[in-house]
Amino acid sequence: AQSVTQPDIHITVSEGASLELRCNYSYGATPYLFWYVQSPGQGLQLLLKYFSGDTLVQGIKGFEAEFKRSQSSFNLRKPSVHWSDAAEYFCAVGRMDSSYKLIFGSGTRLLVRP
Amino acid sequence: GAGVSQSPSNKVTEKGKDVELRCDPISGHTALYWYRQSLGQGLEFLIYFQGNSAPDKSGLPSDRFSAERTGGSVSTLTIQRTQQEDSAVYLCASSVDINQPQHFGDGTRLSIL
């Protein structure tokens, strides 16, 4: 069965520092991959997606992610974090034959130090 | 443009009561999805609709849970005889079609006393 692992429950970075959030998935074929962000009391906002093609994808708010098939990873990066980026981040996987059923990781809570 | 709208935003009810949660998808989106977000289980897929039909109900946790969608638009998730373990945030999402990115509403926070 497919699964998604976000190994970091919490990450704290200083404002202006770079950020990398890790995501590893388990799935036999090439999956659809997503990163969502959730602010307190709100729903999930799509940051970026990978379906096929270029393995480095650009998203909103200055985020990017790189699909590495050999490592089964889809890590999220941002070169300079802003205080408003503090939120919870979820990586999700969709199978090509049932892409509607997203499997989510457990999330990483990002704290930003002033 | 309007996003996915869910109501109520919060619902507190007594154990054993029935509850209805409503989702109004983005106009023109044919696919609609329900997820549950709880502390112990994270985000779980419940059910999805393509038009008015629900090809996959496999995520519904028990027969107390049901959902319908009418007119290819609004959907209602109904939980009968609520239990404390039903306490969670219920999120609705919609997409232009399956295989397209899902856009989420702000959720309904359900608390069972």
Side-chain angles (χ1 to χ4, degrees), chain B residues 3-63:
Chain B
V4 176
S5 177
Q6 292 188 246
S7 61
S9 54
N10 285 282
K11 177 72 176 179
V12 181
T13 193
E14 294 178 347
K15 177 182 171 181
K17 300 286 189 183
D18 297 351
V19 295
E20 284 189 353
L21 312 180
R22 175 188 168 105
C23 173
D24 203 338
I26 294 172
S27 178
H29 282 196
T30 63
L32 184 147
Y33 317 80
W34 284 98
Y35 291 85
R36 181 169 69 174
Q37 186 175 26
S38 57
L39 281 176
Q41 301 298 322
L43 275 152
E44 305 169 276
F45 168 85
L46 297 179
I47 188 172
Y48 99 100
F49 290 88
Q50 181 64 39
N52 290 338
S53 65
D56 188 343
K57 306 178 182 179
S58 64
L60 294 177
S62 76
D63 59 8

Side-chain angles (χ1 to χ4, degrees), chain A residues 47-75:
Chain A
L47 286 176
L48 47 78
K49 63 187 184 292
Y50 172 79
F51 281 6
S52 65
D54 193 348
T55 57
L56 182 64
V57 294
Q58 302 297 319
I60 62 171
K61 304 184 179 185
F63 286 93
E64 68 177 26
E66 186 171 12
F67 169 55
K68 293 186 177 180
R69 184 190 306 274
S70 62
Q71 299 177 18
S72 297
S73 69
F74 189 57
N75 293 350

